[in-house]
Amino acid sequence: MAKGMRVKLDYEVSKDPDTGVEVTRLTPPEVTCHRNYFYQKCFTHDGSKLLFAGEFDGNWNYYLLDINAAEAVQLTEGSGDNTFGGFLSPDDKSLYYVKNERTLLEVNLETLVEREVYRVPEDWVGYGTWVANSDCTKLVGIEISKDDWVPLNDWKIFHDFFHKGPNCRLLRVDLQTGESAVIHQEKNWLGHPIYRPFDDSTVAFCHEGPHDLVDARMWMVNEDGSNVRKVKEHAEGESCTHEFWVPNGSSLMYVSYLKGQQGRTIYSYNPDTGINEEVMQMPACSHLMSNFDGTLLVGDGSGTPVDVKDTSGYTIENDPYLWAFDVAKKAYFRVARHDTSWATFANSRQVTHPHPSFTPDDRAILFSSDKDGKPALYIAKMPANPELIPA
């Protein structure tokens, strides 16, 4: 199989046993498939096509699915695709992704011709999810010193890597010229760089590692490297995770949880005022994402977090649901079961994670799950008359 190869998919439609909503499995359970990271653009603007990763030929490559036709075209080929960090351009004409932790590539979705945008220097390794600004003229990414780098294939390595204090740098790359500049560098594991939507002067990033060991997870820096500042000072026993920008740029939202407690709290940080505001209490979800204006949120219920050191102190009951949150009403409701295992699979810590997000029309939720076999893609419709639970 190669670029341009077309794969016909046989959807399976079912009703969720607990909420009755329609759930469609898009990809076959015998082939590993997953979605990209939850804040990366995966749908075309009109919602008719979906970017996803599939292992149809032995490699994890990118495909673009025509949802109505149930047919996917292969966009990349060979080994080494970072199939979590790729994203569609705002004009729906290109895919950007990193290959072999070395090369940032642009794929023309019409011709499938690839263009090398940027090459990571030999003594560095391209790490994690690289995120474009709203105009898609540049992106921010993380590079880790090659001398410090190890493949982060399981959670033990994840924990060990934190204690190494790897030399990391946050950089920006011009998507037309490939020119790059270092924004921030330190001997600390850095991750999750994200431009503030519609404000290129502000970049968020995190101190990565076990959530109960990092000094403070979420940070911001001006694009010119000035004014490095904490988003939040952690309280005693507090961990924060899975921050994201509301797509309209109004705030940075994140999940906070406390040692010994089952529930979690949604917070919103206003970068203009520096104020953290509690939005509402929530079930024990891992990832959280919003619609464009932050009026609706979706999260994936989880169990005891694996990305903490003191797992006994953070033990919680497993929650198998996708939850939606109505911010104005300060209430939430079940959408459907995701029933994923959260297991490390095929040397990936992420592939079984649901990573839910809304479809462009807010009427359904895209997620990954291995509930039927290998990881697969699903779309669950939003309930018409949800049973609201006050937060």
Side-chain angles (χ1 to χ4, degrees):
M1 295 178 68
K3 287 199 299 182
M5 175 78 173
R6 294 184 178 274
V7 180
K8 192 69 177 176
L9 298 179
D10 185 16
Y11 300 164
E12 180 177 286
V13 181
S14 61
K15 295 289 185 183
D16 183 86
D18 292 350
T19 65
V21 303
E22 182 179 289
V23 180
T24 301
R25 191 184 70 224
L26 303 175
T27 59
E30 68 273 11
V31 178
T32 299
C33 296
H34 69 87
R35 60 153 309 162
N36 62 352
Y37 209 54
F38 62 96
Y39 52 62
Q40 296 282 66
K41 185 177 187 291
C42 58
F43 285 98
T44 53
H45 183 70
D46 62 2
S48 66
K49 294 182 179 179
L50 170 65
L51 178 73
F52 74 98
E55 193 187 17
F56 291 96
D57 72 344
N59 294 305
W60 290 12
N61 294 125
Y62 280 104
Y63 292 77
L64 189 65
L65 171 64
D66 183 319
I67 296 176
N68 288 334
E71 185 177 75
V73 59
Q74 186 173 343
L75 304 178
T76 65
E77 62 187 8
S79 61
D81 291 7
N82 179 337
T83 50
F84 293 95
F87 60 90
L88 298 177
S89 60
D91 61 9
D92 297 332
K93 293 182 178 179
S94 301
L95 158 69
Y96 290 92
Y97 77 105
V98 174
K99 200 170 188 73
N100 294 316
E101 296 153 349
R102 181 67 52 197
T103 312
L104 173 64
L105 297 167
E106 177 190 20
V107 182
N108 183 300
L109 297 183
E110 286 294 324
T111 65
L112 303 187
V113 171
E114 293 194 356
R115 178 179 72 93
E116 180 176 312
V117 178
Y118 169 78
R119 181 174 290 268
V120 176
E122 287 301 318
D123 50 351
W124 294 86
V125 172
Y127 165 72
T129 301
W130 293 20
V131 180
N133 63 343
S134 296
D135 292 335
C136 205
T137 57
K138 50 191 171 181
L139 56 69
V140 283
I142 300 292
E143 293 178 340
I144 299 179
S145 171
K146 189 175 181 180
D147 292 338
D148 292 333
W149 171 251
V150 292
L152 300 165
N153 296 333
D154 61 39
W155 290 107
K156 182 182 184 305
I157 298 173
F158 174 91
H159 285 250
D160 293 345
F161 195 64
F162 165 77
H163 293 287
K164 178 183 285 190
N167 187 19
C168 296
R169 62 186 189 184
L170 164 63
L171 75 156
R172 71 173 184 270
V173 177
D174 186 298
L175 291 177
Q176 288 303 312
T177 67
E179 294 179 0
S180 66
V182 174
I183 297 173
H184 178 67
Q185 183 170 341
E186 60 179 296
K187 286 280 292 181
N188 208 329
W189 187 5
L190 306 181
H192 290 256
I194 327 173
Y195 270 112
R196 182 184 183 184
F198 309 106
D199 174 14
D200 295 352
S201 66
T202 305
V203 178
F205 66 96
C206 81
H207 283 181
E208 188 60 275
H211 297 156
D212 53 342
L213 295 183
V214 296
D215 53 346
R217 176 177 170 91
M218 298 163 298
W219 296 74
M220 287 189 184
V221 61
N222 293 351
E223 190 189 37
D224 63 7
S226 64
N227 195 20
V228 178
R229 65 254 190 213
K230 292 180 185 179
V231 168
K232 181 180 176 65
E233 192 82 42
H234 291 198
E236 184 68 27
E238 181 183 27
S239 295
C240 298
T241 184
H242 291 120
E243 66 284 353
F244 66 93
W245 286 109
V246 174
N248 68 1
S250 57
S251 68
L252 185 85
M253 302 192 80
Y254 59 93
V255 177
S256 167
Y257 58 103
L258 295 171
K259 184 175 180 178
Q261 295 188 16
Q262 170 81 15
R264 299 187 172 192
T265 305
I266 302 169
Y267 275 92
S268 175
Y269 173 77
N270 185 325
D272 300 320
T273 64
I275 295 174
N276 283 283
E277 179 184 3
E278 180 178 326
V279 176
M280 70 173 76
Q281 297 295 304
M282 67 185 294
C285 294
S286 178
H287 307 89
L288 190 69
M289 187 58 199
S290 76
N291 62 351
F292 181 77
D293 61 4
T295 54
L296 284 174
L297 307 171
V298 60
D300 46 9
S302 62
T304 301
V306 292
D307 42 7
V308 295
K309 180 178 186 294
D310 181 14
T311 52
S312 62
Y314 290 89
T315 299
I316 56 176
E317 297 178 10
N318 185 60
D319 185 322
Y321 292 99
L322 296 173
W323 293 93
F325 303 84
D326 186 314
V327 173
K329 295 179 180 178
K330 293 193 179 298
Y332 55 91
F333 54 92
R334 289 178 176 139
V335 177
R337 300 181 68 96
H338 63 70
D339 282 326
T340 200
S341 71
W342 298 95
T344 297
F345 176 79
N347 289 323
S348 171
R349 296 176 293 113
Q350 298 283 338
V351 71
T352 61
H353 293 190
H355 292 145
S357 67
F358 291 99
T359 54
D361 61 7
D362 293 348
R363 295 179 180 176
I365 292 167
L366 171 72
F367 66 101
S368 300
S369 173
D370 63 354
K371 65 179 182 176
D372 293 328
K374 292 183 177 180
L377 266 80
Y378 298 78
I379 290 182
K381 289 187 176 180
M382 292 283 280
N385 298 295
E387 183 179 337
L388 293 178
I389 302 170

